[in-house]
Amino acid sequence: MIVVLFALMYFLMIRPQRKQQQKRRDQLSKIKPGDQVVTIGRLHGVVDEINEAEKTVTLDCDGIYLVFDLSAIAQVKQPAITATATANANDQTDASDTATHQNTADSQSSDAAKSDAADSKPDTDDDSKPEAK
């Protein structure tokens, strides 16, 4: 009965915990510059440099460089390769959206110029109004 209890405890508690620890070690060992990460304090940044000897990582947080222990990384949000591919896809989408918006803005500005020209015609009824003294 005791052996069954230990086996059950191993498969329900110890084994999943070891798998989780191994997954975390693999994740931390695969971090490279350019990866977007989140620290255990929920600080979001981009990996700038990794020091394997001291087990530290330097994060670029909007131009501010902070040094953390490697174990302070909670998760890798977006690997560097995916970030580059996503950025290229977003640039292409943004370029087509910008062209569409620019064409729409050009047509709206020409319509506005036509209406401004019509509004700027001089009034001929000014002579019939009495002058205030």
Side-chain angles (χ1 to χ4, degrees):
M1 188 67 175
I2 293 176
V3 173
V4 172
L5 183 64
F6 280 119
L8 184 65
M9 191 167 67
Y10 174 78
F11 282 108
L12 292 178
M13 293 174 52
I14 297 171
R15 188 167 180 242
Q17 185 178 13
R18 283 190 181 172
K19 282 186 175 182
Q20 195 173 33
Q21 287 173 345
Q22 182 63 36
K23 182 180 174 185
R24 178 161 167 75
R25 270 188 247 122
D26 290 343
Q27 182 182 28
L28 292 177
S29 68
K30 292 179 183 178
I31 291 177
K32 57 190 168 294
D35 286 350
Q36 293 182 2
V37 296
V38 179
T39 65
I40 56 175
R42 298 296 170 225
L43 180 81
H44 297 248
V46 177
V47 176
D48 184 60
E49 179 184 343
I50 300 170
N51 187 341
E52 294 289 337
E54 295 180 11
K55 295 192 185 279
T56 60
V57 61
T58 304
L59 298 182
D60 178 7
C61 303
D62 292 331
I64 300 172
Y65 294 89
L66 303 170
V67 179
F68 290 95
D69 287 339
L70 196 56
S71 61
I73 303 298
Q75 73 183 61
V76 178
K77 286 178 55 176
Q78 193 172 32
I81 295 170
T82 306
T84 305
T86 304
N88 290 339
N90 287 342
D91 289 343
Q92 291 172 355
T93 304
D94 290 343
S96 65
D97 287 346
T98 303
T100 303
H101 291 297
Q102 187 175 9
N103 290 341
T104 304
D106 289 343
S107 66
Q108 288 176 350
S109 65
S110 65
D111 291 343
K114 289 177 186 176
S115 67
D116 287 345
D119 290 342
S120 65
K121 290 182 182 176
D123 291 335
T124 57
D125 296 336
D126 288 341
D127 296 334
S128 63
K129 293 182 184 177
E131 288 184 19
K133 292 185 179 178

